[in-house]
Amino acid sequence: MIIFGTKGYLYQLAILTLVCGHCGNPSAHTLRKRVTKFTLFFVPLFPISTKYATQCTFCGAEQKVTKEQADQLLAQGAGGVGGQAYGQPQQQPYQH
């Protein structure tokens, strides 16, 4: 018997001040990375997919971004006053 599946991890990369495309308010947005890993006997082995998104803390709207856009936002947030970047991402399992 072989037990396999997937497990998701949610990393909060940064908190940035952006103008929301949904509600139009300048508010804090969290930049998150969602990684789904293949598991064998409940041991995560390798990533299957990686997705990036920003979420508005005012209205809750989520917008998908590419890896390049996420890297650019991280660079802007780490160097500017508007965002706060973390040294180590916070790892949180999520449910689909």
Side-chain angles (χ1 to χ4, degrees):
M1 175 190 268
I2 297 177
I3 300 173
F4 64 93
T6 60
K7 183 173 182 178
Y9 296 91
L10 186 62
Y11 299 93
Q12 182 172 314
L13 302 176
I15 298 176
L16 309 163
T17 302
L18 303 169
V19 176
C20 180
H22 186 260
C23 66
N25 289 313
S27 61
H29 285 67
T30 57
L31 177 62
R32 296 179 178 161
K33 177 170 85 167
R34 187 169 298 187
V35 179
T36 304
K37 293 187 177 184
F38 176 79
T39 61
L40 184 63
F41 294 107
F42 306 106
V43 177
L45 296 178
F46 54 87
I48 296 174
S49 72
T50 303
K51 298 177 183 176
Y52 295 87
T54 59
Q55 184 176 22
C56 177
T57 57
F58 188 81
C59 68
E62 189 169 317
Q63 180 180 349
K64 294 179 182 177
V65 295
T66 64
K67 182 182 183 336
E68 291 78 21
Q69 290 172 328
D71 291 339
Q72 185 180 22
L73 286 171
L74 269 175
Q76 289 174 356
V81 179
Q84 176 182 2
Y86 296 104
Q88 289 292 331
Q90 297 175 357
Q91 180 177 340
Q92 301 171 353
Y94 73 98
Q95 301 295 324
H96 304 248

